[in-house]
Amino acid sequence: MAEMSRRKMLVSGGALGALGALSIASPAQALAWTWAPSGSVAGNGAGADPRWVWDEQADPVSAALLDRGEVPAVNELLRTWTRNDQPLPDGLPEHLRAFMEQARQLPAWADHGKLEMAAEFNKSRGLYLNVLNGLGGGMLSTAIVKEARSVYYSKGGADMEDRVAKTSMLGFAVGALDAYRPEGTCVVQAVKTRLVHAAVRHLLPQSPQWTDGIPISQSDILVTWHTLPTYAMRKLREWKVPMSRAEADAYLHVWQVTAHMLGVRDEYIPASWDAANAQSDQLLPPAMAPTREGVELTDILLDQLAEQTSPGRIDRPLVNAFARYLVGNQVADWDAIPREPLWGPLITTAWPALVAFREGLMPFPLVPEAAWTLDEAVRQYILFFLTKGRGTVIDIPTVNRPS
């Protein structure tokens, strides 16, 4: 009962922490859109506020499938489409086929050399990136007001294990060595996710529990995007992980391509890390605040990790402390992640030491014992999410979360 009261206080805003890892101040009203399209991969654009732009190609396609009752049959067909180079299955409605054939094409500006370098970078830095994109990005997403509420009230919110598995599929596809190679799956997962987003935009406004207009605008997708590559690169640099300029640019490039494949207009996709940081600074702070839905989703996610990853070895206090370390006190307080007096200070010392040891910057005898417990926890976490998505397919939803 005391824990419930504490969480209620946190959600009401009565116990916001100090500035966290992202230097996010208290949430504010979104300012007028000022990010210049000259900083995008397109180099120009109309400069329209992305909060009022959705997906004019995908939205009518998913809406028509839903209105005609064609989604179950389409889902069955799309389950057989699993490789980037694979022809689309026979039997798809013609309007869907035409959209997917166009949507599966990489942008003309995609650089295959950079994509290959990004794959190697993801391989060499996989431990850090999986933790940042999975646990760190997950905790940030539950503190994003519209994202937490759209996840909670859409179909995925009723079964978070399945939702996490489907979300992790796209994340691991981006980080795979064959992400955009013919035998990879990133194109497949991105196009399917784009159709899912369009379906949610059609369905969620029909829910009596949803009061936020049309969800998943271009701005909303960009906000989420910045909790992945932009956040991850900031943390890698904070941890002093060695990398070349070319590697950093390649890592950005694979996420630029992925944003395009998810339907983000090229005029909104940052062309450089400086442009990405500037856009993130404008979009992310006003989008974040505590919500009841976000707190509940956070608790479910951390329980899943603590209980299912490796029972008896990774307990909830360690998971709480590591999540808080990754996102900082303010976001952790918004998510109602408990403070852990034992593990908190240990992780603050152990993780930087573990990173330094892995990068050859610290000798073995100086690494604290807690670092090896944390190292094993991270390994089990990654194994959990790598295997969780096996056998899972991304289906277009037909309903919202039941009332």
Side-chain angles (χ1 to χ4, degrees):
M1 194 70 177
E3 177 66 12
M4 289 180 62
S5 298
R6 186 185 66 82
R7 287 186 180 173
K8 186 173 182 181
M9 179 182 70
L10 286 170
V11 174
S12 71
L16 298 182
L19 294 181
L22 298 179
S23 298
I24 295 173
S26 297
Q29 293 296 318
L31 301 175
W33 176 247
T34 59
W35 191 82
S38 59
S40 71
V41 295
N44 57 71
D49 190 328
R51 287 177 297 171
W52 312 111
V53 180
W54 290 273
D55 191 334
E56 60 188 17
Q57 288 82 37
D59 288 351
V61 173
S62 286
L65 293 175
L66 287 162
D67 292 344
R68 296 172 188 168
E70 296 174 326
V71 170
V74 164
N75 280 335
E76 285 298 318
L77 291 171
L78 290 183
R79 287 174 186 176
T80 67
W81 186 50
T82 59
R83 283 175 50 121
N84 294 338
D85 62 350
Q86 188 179 349
L88 296 176
D90 294 333
L92 292 175
E94 191 52 41
H95 70 108
L96 174 62
R97 176 179 295 278
F99 164 76
M100 293 181 68
E101 289 291 8
Q102 179 275 326
R104 70 186 298 184
Q105 304 303 314
L106 295 185
W109 44 264
D111 184 321
H112 289 276
K114 287 185 176 180
L115 292 176
E116 287 297 315
M117 181 177 286
E120 290 300 326
F121 181 73
N122 275 296
K123 179 181 177 181
S124 65
R125 301 294 183 236
L127 183 138
Y128 310 135
L129 293 172
N130 285 328
V131 165
L132 290 168
N133 290 332
L135 182 55
M139 295 302 96
L140 292 174
S141 70
T142 54
I144 296 169
V145 175
K146 288 185 69 176
E147 180 166 357
R149 297 192 76 246
S150 63
V151 167
Y152 189 90
Y153 291 115
S154 60
K155 182 182 178 183
D159 184 352
M160 283 304 293
E161 280 200 49
D162 183 64
R163 163 73 190 209
V164 170
K166 290 176 178 176
T167 302
S168 67
M169 288 175 67
L170 178 60
F172 282 116
V174 175
L177 278 172
D178 58 4
Y180 284 105
R181 294 176 187 168
E183 70 274 18
T185 65
C186 213
V187 170
V188 173
Q189 308 301 357
V191 173
K192 288 183 178 180
T193 299
R194 191 173 172 185
L195 288 167
V196 169
H197 286 171
V200 171
R201 279 190 287 268
H202 186 66
L203 290 168
L204 203 50
Q206 302 172 32
S207 170
Q209 303 172 92
W210 178 258
T211 59
D212 293 329
I214 303 173
I216 319 180
S217 68
Q218 296 268 295
S219 178
D220 296 328
I221 297 174
L222 288 166
V223 166
T224 302
W225 189 88
H226 286 297
T227 68
L228 297 165
T230 311
Y231 160 72
M233 183 53 64
R234 283 176 163 173
K235 296 301 289 186
L236 290 178
R237 286 174 170 160
E238 177 187 319
W239 296 340
K240 298 179 173 58
V241 175
M243 72 186 83
S244 68
R245 172 70 179 272
E247 287 175 320
D249 288 347
Y251 181 65
L252 175 61
H253 190 67
V254 74
W255 281 101
Q256 290 168 330
V257 172
T258 301
H260 175 95
M261 300 305 290
L262 289 171
V264 177
R265 293 184 182 181
D266 287 357
E267 70 172 275
Y268 297 130
I269 302 174
S272 67
W273 283 116
D274 286 344
N277 288 327
Q279 189 185 86
S280 178
D281 289 344
Q282 177 171 5
L283 286 177
L284 206 50
M288 302 184 77
T291 62
R292 178 187 63 81
E293 295 86 355
V295 168
E296 186 172 331
L297 292 174
T298 298
D299 194 49
I300 292 170
L301 292 171
L302 293 180
D303 266 351
Q304 285 182 9
L305 180 57
E307 293 174 6
Q308 298 180 36
T309 305
S310 182
R313 285 196 290 175
I314 302 179
D315 56 9
R316 180 63 188 265
L318 186 154
V319 172
N320 290 340
F322 195 41
R324 180 173 282 274
Y325 172 77
L326 290 174
V327 299
N329 285 329
Q330 183 170 68
V331 172
D333 284 347
W334 285 343
D335 282 339
I337 301 172
R339 294 174 184 263
E340 300 295 344
L342 174 62
W343 274 111
L346 288 175
I347 286 176
T348 300
T349 301
W351 183 256
L354 185 61
V355 172
F357 172 75
R358 287 185 168 278
E359 300 306 321
L361 304 175
M362 177 180 286
F364 178 84
L366 297 182
V367 181
E369 185 65 29
W372 305 115
T373 302
L374 185 57
D375 184 58
E376 176 62 15
V378 168
R379 289 177 181 276
Q380 292 296 324
Y381 161 80
I382 293 171
L383 178 63
F384 170 60
F385 278 99
L386 278 173
T387 58
K388 192 171 184 59
R390 290 182 183 170
T392 302
V393 293
I394 296 177
D395 282 334
I396 302 169
T398 57
V399 295
N400 295 311
R401 179 180 183 141
S403 298

